[in-house]
Protein backbone atom coordinates (compact mmCIF):
# COMPACT_ATOMS: atom_id res chain seq x y z
CA UNK A 1 0.00 0.00 0.00
CA UNK A 2 1.38 3.42 -0.90
CA UNK A 3 -1.34 5.60 0.62
CA UNK A 4 -2.24 6.46 4.19
CA UNK A 5 -5.17 4.43 5.44
CA UNK A 6 -7.13 4.80 8.67
CA UNK A 7 -9.47 2.05 9.80
CA UNK A 8 -10.25 3.23 13.31
CA UNK A 9 -9.79 6.08 15.72
CA UNK A 10 -10.21 6.89 19.40
CA UNK A 11 -9.63 9.64 21.92
CA UNK A 12 -8.06 9.40 25.32
CA UNK A 13 -10.08 10.63 28.28
CA UNK A 14 -10.12 14.36 28.85
CA UNK A 15 -8.42 15.77 31.92
CA UNK A 16 -5.48 14.61 33.97
CA UNK A 17 -4.75 10.96 33.39
CA UNK A 18 -4.26 8.58 36.30
CA UNK A 19 -2.03 6.37 34.13
CA UNK A 20 1.64 6.26 35.11
CA UNK A 21 3.17 7.40 31.82
CA UNK A 22 2.65 8.38 28.19
CA UNK A 23 3.27 4.82 27.03
CA UNK A 24 0.31 3.55 29.04
CA UNK A 25 -1.88 6.38 27.71
CA UNK A 26 -0.86 5.53 24.14
CA UNK A 27 -1.52 1.81 24.71
CA UNK A 28 -5.00 2.58 26.04
CA UNK A 29 -5.81 4.80 23.06
CA UNK A 30 -4.37 2.20 20.65
CA UNK A 31 -6.51 -0.57 22.15
CA UNK A 32 -9.65 1.57 21.70
CA UNK A 33 -8.63 2.40 18.14
CA UNK A 34 -8.10 -1.26 17.25
CA UNK A 35 -11.49 -2.14 18.75
CA UNK A 36 -13.13 0.63 16.69
CA UNK A 37 -11.42 -0.67 13.54
CA UNK A 38 -12.39 -4.26 14.31
CA UNK A 39 -8.84 -5.57 13.97
CA UNK A 40 -6.53 -7.51 16.25
CA UNK A 41 -3.06 -6.24 17.27
CA UNK A 42 -1.46 -9.05 15.23
CA UNK A 43 -3.05 -7.54 12.10
CA UNK A 44 -1.20 -4.22 12.50
CA UNK A 45 2.12 -3.76 10.73
CA UNK A 46 2.97 -0.34 12.23
CA UNK A 47 1.63 2.51 14.31
CA UNK A 48 2.91 6.02 13.72
CA UNK A 49 2.64 8.69 16.40
CA UNK A 50 2.83 12.42 15.74
CA UNK A 51 3.86 14.73 18.55
CA UNK A 52 3.43 18.42 17.84
CA UNK A 53 6.18 20.88 18.63
CA UNK A 54 3.81 22.43 21.16
CA UNK A 55 3.77 19.20 23.16
CA UNK A 56 7.56 18.85 22.97
CA UNK A 57 7.92 22.39 24.30
CA UNK A 58 5.95 21.44 27.45
CA UNK A 59 8.27 18.60 28.44
Amino acid sequence: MTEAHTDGWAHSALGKSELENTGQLMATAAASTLAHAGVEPCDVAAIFVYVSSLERAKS
Side-chain angles (χ1 to χ4, degrees):
M1 177 172 21
T2 59
E3 302 175 8
H5 186 81
T6 302
D7 285 322
W9 63 272
H11 288 282
S12 58
L14 296 175
K16 184 171 174 72
S17 176
E18 294 185 12
L19 298 172
E20 290 185 27
N21 56 49
T22 304
Q24 288 180 348
L25 181 62
M26 291 170 62
T28 300
S32 297
T33 301
L34 292 174
H36 182 262
V39 297
E40 297 295 322
C42 63
D43 298 325
V44 177
I47 296 175
F48 298 92
V49 177
Y50 170 77
V51 178
S52 73
S53 58
L54 178 61
E55 289 301 316
R56 278 187 246 130
K58 291 180 182 177
S59 53

